[in-house]
Amino acid sequence: MAATTGCPSTTAGDPIFKTTNGSLAARPYYIGDAQLVSSYFRRVEPAVVFGAIDTGVPNQAYNDQFFVRPAAEVPFFFPLFAVFELVFYLLVFLWAVRALWSRSSSSSGTSTRGGVGVSGSAELLLFVYGLETAFITFTCIYDAALWDPAVVSFKQKTVLIGRLYGGYFALAVLMTIDMYGRVLKRVGTAEVKKTQ
């Protein structure tokens, strides 16, 4: 935080301060006039940094119309998707993290990969989770592709769709394929046992 020094007062006699290098004027929240004051300010951070360590990763504004302020026109599906994320996704995510990191595989019907076990019902739930996540993410990608180019440039859309939503979509598709393969294998094993 920069040190401040006193400056000449306002016409009402209230104090004004500046940072030591003179680059930022600061005033108390209430100084006896009707001028609006806010403690929030626009931060300009061209790169992601941690203290003095520069990561070299650009800190870009993506202009995501789902989350801009003031709020853009919200598509009709967005509130429903938000409820899905808060109720279904969050609960399944928390449960899945616990299940996938559990080292216990003592219950029957548990498959293990590298000591991490999940049951058949867990694989089925994660299949539905992956499929639903892929569908909802693809819907958002489609909507983002239709945003007005005057508001969201082609370059911003490319970053949003290709890097942010696209990566999330790819992970959801991979999870769906993986869990589908696991469930299919279980069904096949169960059918073989039935015929024997």
Side-chain angles (χ1 to χ4, degrees), residues 141-171:
I141 288 171
Y142 179 76
D143 190 61
L146 300 176
W147 288 339
D148 186 355
V151 177
V152 182
S153 70
F154 179 77
K155 183 178 179 181
Q156 289 172 323
K157 283 183 186 181
T158 303
V159 172
L160 272 169
I161 293 171
R163 293 185 191 169
L164 299 177
Y165 289 121
Y168 194 67
F169 177 72
L171 286 174

Side-chain angles (χ1 to χ4, degrees), residues 42-160:
R42 181 183 173 106
R43 294 177 66 165
V44 179
E45 298 173 352
V48 178
V49 295
F50 298 99
I53 302 170
D54 186 349
T55 63
V57 176
N59 192 11
Q60 301 170 339
Y62 297 112
N63 203 13
D64 188 336
Q65 296 300 292
F66 291 126
F67 301 101
V68 295
R69 294 290 176 250
E73 183 180 339
V74 177
F76 70 93
F77 59 82
F78 197 74
L80 176 65
F81 288 2
V83 169
F84 265 103
E85 287 195 15
L86 289 173
V87 177
F88 180 68
Y89 290 169
L90 181 62
L91 294 176
V92 172
F93 173 78
L94 294 173
W95 171 83
V97 167
R98 183 178 162 270
L100 290 172
W101 288 104
S102 170
R103 297 291 178 182
S104 170
S105 60
S106 59
S107 62
S108 61
T110 302
S111 66
T112 59
R113 279 192 179 177
V116 178
V118 291
S119 66
S121 58
E123 291 171 352
L124 183 59
L125 179 62
L126 291 174
F127 168 71
V128 172
Y129 177 90
L131 190 64
E132 188 68 27
T133 303
F135 171 75
I136 286 178
T137 305
F138 184 75
T139 305
C140 292
I141 288 171
Y142 179 76
D143 190 61
L146 300 176
W147 288 339
D148 186 355
V151 177
V152 182
S153 70
F154 179 77
K155 183 178 179 181
Q156 289 172 323
K157 283 183 186 181
T158 303
V159 172
L160 272 169

